[in-house]
Amino acid sequence: MANGQWYPPEWPDRIRALAAGTLTPVAPKRAATVMLLKDTGGGTAVHMLRRRASMAFAGGAYAYPGGGVDPRDDDHQVRWAGPTRAWWAQRLGVDETAAQAIVCAAVRETYEEAGVLLAGPAHDSVVGDTTGADWEADRAALVARDLSFAEFLDRRGLVLRSDLLGAWTRWITPEFEARRYDTWFFVAALPEGQRTRNASTEADRTVWIAPREAAARYDEGELLMMPPTIATLRQLTAYETAAGALDAAQGRDLTPVLATARLVDGEIVLSWPGHDEFTKHIPTGGATA
């Protein structure tokens, strides 16, 4: 391939099956991912991880910390600071229960996979260093789902800082994929006193990188990425500071981006609305252009 777009070899067959009506789409699971930013002497950098090559989904691809919603975050109200759940429900296009769960997933997954926690003992504070053994024990319990996020916050006497997040975009995995996610992308700034680390069992490498550099290395075929990742990286290149990106998040359109596959002149055309660079032409015979 000319660039680093992640493109599974089974997609053409699955797209043809969907077009023929022999493939039934699975329901997407709710998920959240966070583009964690920090200011450097050369501008903004974003924290990225490389998924292990052995992973069944997007192995070897660069991505951001994130993951699925824990159903327990629907059931228990967590300690909360910042915009209300009603505000988040309107912003995310869901009900209040789902809004809490999605925001919780964003904060929890950032802690699980990067060791960064967007929470504090009060509505206007954030915890400092979270690298101690006691913190690690709680993080491991969250990963194992032995501890819910609400229980974790209560145990620590912490308040979730929803005001430190900005909703950026929303992508839904194509209908022909076997694993589907309805994912909300957020931006956040690295809190003072905290530092990232590779805390994820799903990643073999993490890096702080300028969005412009990451996009250039994708274009050269050096870094493998899924369409939502490279699309958001290109969007982030417009901002020189983390604060600028967070401010811009307030006005961003959260209409879901969902790939479509249609038959045109004997070939399948795969496209993502608003993102022409990802368009693929798949002859009905099998080859991909």
Side-chain angles (χ1 to χ4, degrees):
M1 64 180 71
N3 55 31
Q5 184 177 343
W6 178 72
Y7 190 85
E10 68 271 15
W11 269 15
D13 287 341
R14 295 187 64 85
I15 291 170
R16 282 188 282 271
L18 180 67
T22 59
L23 185 151
T24 301
V26 299
K29 299 178 179 180
R30 295 172 301 165
T33 191
V34 176
M35 299 178 286
L36 194 61
L37 307 173
K38 71 175 181 179
D39 296 333
T40 70
T44 303
V46 62
H47 180 70
M48 303 190 76
L49 52 85
R50 184 176 65 187
R51 294 173 60 82
R52 294 185 183 278
S54 58
M55 295 296 293
F57 182 78
Y62 279 77
Y64 313 113
V69 164
D70 183 343
R72 291 176 295 183
D73 293 334
D74 283 310
D75 301 330
H76 305 289
Q77 283 213 338
V78 303
R79 297 169 180 255
W80 191 274
T84 65
R85 292 169 179 80
W87 184 94
W88 277 107
Q90 183 176 19
R91 181 75 181 108
L92 301 179
V94 296
D95 61 33
E96 290 187 33
T97 299
Q100 173 183 277
I102 293 162
V103 171
C104 281
V107 176
R108 174 178 45 77
E109 289 287 341
T110 303
Y111 181 50
E112 289 182 7
E113 297 197 341
V116 170
L117 182 58
L118 304 176
H123 286 62
D124 58 354
S125 63
V126 184
V127 297
D129 185 14
T130 62
T131 59
D134 58 333
W135 285 103
E136 179 57 26
D138 279 351
R139 191 197 65 79
L142 285 169
V143 172
R145 297 296 182 262
D146 294 333
L147 183 67
S148 75
F149 195 57
E151 291 169 338
F152 165 71
L153 294 176
D154 285 342
R155 175 186 295 182
R156 290 277 178 178
L158 297 176
V159 180
L160 182 150
R161 292 287 306 277
S162 78
D163 55 317
L164 299 182
L165 289 168
W168 191 262
T169 190
R170 179 182 177 185
W171 286 64
I172 301 177
T173 309
E175 291 183 331
F176 47 81
E177 245 297 330
R179 296 173 178 84
R180 298 190 65 212
Y181 300 93
D182 185 351
T183 305
W184 283 262
F185 286 69
F186 297 85
V187 289
L190 177 68
E192 185 176 353
Q194 295 192 38
R195 62 181 187 271
T196 57
R197 64 187 189 278
N198 185 6
S200 173
T201 58
E202 298 179 355
D204 60 11
R205 184 184 184 217
T206 63
V207 63
W208 281 101
I209 189 169
R212 187 170 286 103
E213 178 187 348
R217 292 172 67 180
Y218 164 89
D219 289 336
E220 294 166 359
E222 182 180 346
L223 299 186
L224 187 68
M225 298 180 200
M226 293 176 281
T229 309
I230 181 58
T232 49
L233 278 172
R234 296 202 196 283
Q235 292 158 359
L236 288 174
T237 61
Y239 306 97
E240 294 301 320
T241 65
L246 279 164
D247 287 344
Q250 302 305 314
R252 291 206 36 99
D253 182 9
L254 296 186
T255 302
V257 178
L258 173 64
T260 61
R262 64 191 192 280
L263 285 169
V264 179
D265 297 330
E267 67 178 4
I268 297 170
V269 178
L270 172 61
S271 61
W272 280 258
H275 300 274
D276 292 343
E277 72 168 294
F278 306 129
T279 299
K280 294 284 186 181
H281 295 265
I282 304 167
T284 53
T288 304

